[in-house]
Amino acid sequence: MKEKIEAMRVSIEEGIAAAENRKELFEQKMKYLGKTGEITALLKGMRDVAPEERPQVGKIINELRFWAEEAFAAREEVLKQQELSAKYASEKIDVTMPAKFVETGSVHPVTLVRQELLNIFTGMGFDVYEGPEIEKDYYNFQALNIPADHPARDMQDTFFISGEFLLRSQTSSGQIRVMENKKPPIKVLSPGRVYRSDSDATHSPMFHQMEGLVVDKGITLNDLKGLLDEFARRMFTSETKVRLRPSYFPFTEPSVEVDLSCSNCGGKGCRICKGTGWIEVLGAGMVNRKVLENCGVDPDVYTGFAFGMGLERIAMIKYGISDIRLMFENDVRFLKQFKD
């Protein structure tokens, strides 16, 4: 028995020395001290030892067990310190090195313009209505005095989903929905995405519009001009001037194109305004009588004006952006220029 125990002691020492980590050490410990371990088996085998030898044999086995437990505990502490040292070395931070810089995001220029416009017009008393992007032909065209055979439909290539439904090509459809459900006086702003089959440096198949509508008794073109003057001063500079040019839109009569004096050159003429001193910004006009009638509004009692602008167009003018496609490429070099 003594020879067997001595051999086991040597085997335990070799196993402890060979363990390179606490997992391997634990496996060695279970080999000898686990429920089915070799030392545990010796203790269970005491019943087979002659009664007169049990005290002496039990003493030898218990001494081996106590020694093994201490040996494993000592080695475990050494391995634990080694593992902690290795972990600390791998996670070591050099406080003299420059910190990693994490850039914060920036608001998209179209979002900046949208919010600024909303602040301007809601400050003038406008309510905000956002209509559906998948629209009926009736609201997008017919109610706006653009029947199926109207030549104005050729002015824009529309994305039709079916004969009745389409991706709205203008947010004017929201104005129709408002007039159908609300009696004058009406003062509403309708922002949102619109879709047209058109793509180049100044056009995108998806872009953002914001249209305004005012309907009440005694509304005139002078009211429109005064509102646009205030919009131009707040959006651009206090020196910005507004010019109205005759135009044509089927849903307004009379209709006008609205130009602003070039903020880059102050109206003297430059590359941005192509030497004219003016930049075309939006379309507007007095609401056509037929449009009011289509919405159940008496045109002999009420008049109104409407205006609409492309948010990308405003952003291009305000920030000097030369190509509309830059705003849809998600290029961080471009977007981070608009951080506060």
Side-chain angles (χ1 to χ4, degrees):
M1 177 63 73
K2 289 183 179 180
E3 291 78 8
K4 183 177 181 180
I5 289 176
E6 188 61 32
M8 191 177 293
R9 183 188 295 270
V10 173
S11 178
I12 291 173
E13 289 176 342
E14 292 176 348
I16 290 175
E20 296 182 353
N21 53 60
R22 286 192 289 173
K23 181 178 182 297
E24 293 179 1
L25 184 67
F26 179 77
E27 291 173 353
Q28 286 293 318
K29 185 176 181 180
M30 291 300 101
K31 179 180 177 181
Y32 296 100
L33 296 172
K35 288 185 178 181
T36 58
E38 295 182 19
I39 295 178
T40 306
L42 288 176
L43 290 170
K44 290 180 179 178
M46 286 291 293
R47 63 178 174 269
D48 298 327
V49 178
E52 64 275 10
E53 296 180 5
R54 286 179 186 174
Q56 183 64 24
V57 173
K59 179 181 177 182
I60 295 172
I61 295 174
N62 280 325
E63 287 177 350
L64 175 65
R65 179 167 64 87
F66 294 145
W67 170 83
E69 288 175 347
E70 290 178 356
F72 279 113
R75 181 59 177 168
E76 183 177 11
E77 185 62 27
V78 171
L79 291 175
K80 180 179 179 182
Q81 293 303 320
Q82 290 178 354
E83 291 175 7
L84 282 175
S85 297
K87 181 179 180 182
Y88 293 153
S90 66
E91 297 177 353
K92 185 177 180 180
I93 299 175
D94 186 350
V95 296
T96 65
M97 291 183 65
K100 291 182 179 179
F101 179 72
V102 180
E103 289 193 77
T104 57
S106 57
V107 182
H108 195 279
V110 172
T111 304
L112 289 172
V113 166
R114 184 182 190 275
Q115 191 57 53
E116 190 169 356
L117 288 171
L118 286 175
N119 290 339
I120 291 172
F121 287 107
T122 55
M124 297 182 192
F126 280 78
D127 296 323
V128 178
Y129 172 80
E130 297 189 31
E133 293 181 25
I134 297 179
E135 188 56 278
K136 289 185 176 181
D137 182 285
Y138 172 79
Y139 290 104
N140 196 82
F141 288 124
Q142 297 175 40
L144 289 164
N145 195 36
I146 312 175
D149 58 349
H150 199 289
R153 291 206 181 201
D154 297 332
M155 296 169 62
Q156 48 186 265
D157 293 324
T158 307
F159 291 107
F160 278 93
I161 299 173
S162 66
E164 182 181 4
F165 292 95
L166 49 86
L167 295 179
R168 67 179 178 189
S169 60
Q170 53 202 4
T171 52
S172 304
S173 57
Q175 299 174 4
I176 299 298
R177 290 180 176 274
V178 171
M179 284 193 286
E180 281 186 344
N181 293 283
K182 183 178 180 180
K183 294 181 179 180
I186 296 172
K187 202 172 187 181
V188 66
L189 202 63
S190 182
R193 285 184 290 265
V194 296
Y195 305 84
R196 298 181 189 178
S197 183
D198 198 359
S199 181
D200 55 40
T202 57
H203 298 85
S204 170
M206 186 284 294
F207 59 102
H208 299 77
Q209 273 192 344
M210 184 172 289
E211 302 202 20
L213 172 72
V214 176
V215 178
D216 203 350
K217 296 178 180 179
I219 298 295
T220 69
L221 198 63
N222 283 334
D223 297 310
L224 171 63
K225 178 62 164 57
L227 180 137
L228 294 176
D229 284 339
E230 185 64 17
F231 146 73
R233 285 193 293 267
R234 292 194 190 182
M235 191 68 194
F236 297 99
T237 71
S238 59
E239 304 300 322
T240 303
K241 296 180 175 58
V242 175
R243 181 178 72 177
L244 306 184
R245 290 181 290 107
S247 186
Y248 168 76
F249 303 109
F251 34 82
T252 53
E253 179 59 38
S255 303
V256 294
E257 294 284 359
V258 181
D259 301 331
L260 301 183
S261 57
C262 180
S263 56
N264 183 65
C265 64
K268 297 177 182 178
C270 66
R271 178 184 59 83
I272 294 178
C273 62
K274 300 178 181 179
T276 65
W278 297 91
I279 299 177
E280 181 183 328
V281 176
L282 57 93
M286 300 300 294
V287 181
N288 193 300
R289 289 177 59 91
K290 291 184 178 180
V291 173
L292 293 175
E293 289 173 350
N294 290 337
C295 298
V297 178
D298 189 345
D300 293 323
V301 177
Y302 296 99
T303 55
F305 64 73
F307 59 89
M309 64 190 79
L311 301 192
E312 285 81 1
R313 175 66 173 164
I314 300 297
M316 292 175 73
I317 296 170
K318 186 175 181 67
Y319 300 118
I321 301 170
S322 60
D323 192 325
I324 193 174
R325 291 170 292 195
L326 290 170
M327 289 186 271
F328 299 98
E329 292 177 348
N330 294 325
D331 190 328
V332 175
R333 295 170 299 176
F334 169 77
L335 295 175
K336 69 181 182 180
Q337 298 178 62
F338 302 94
K339 292 179 68 172
D340 294 336

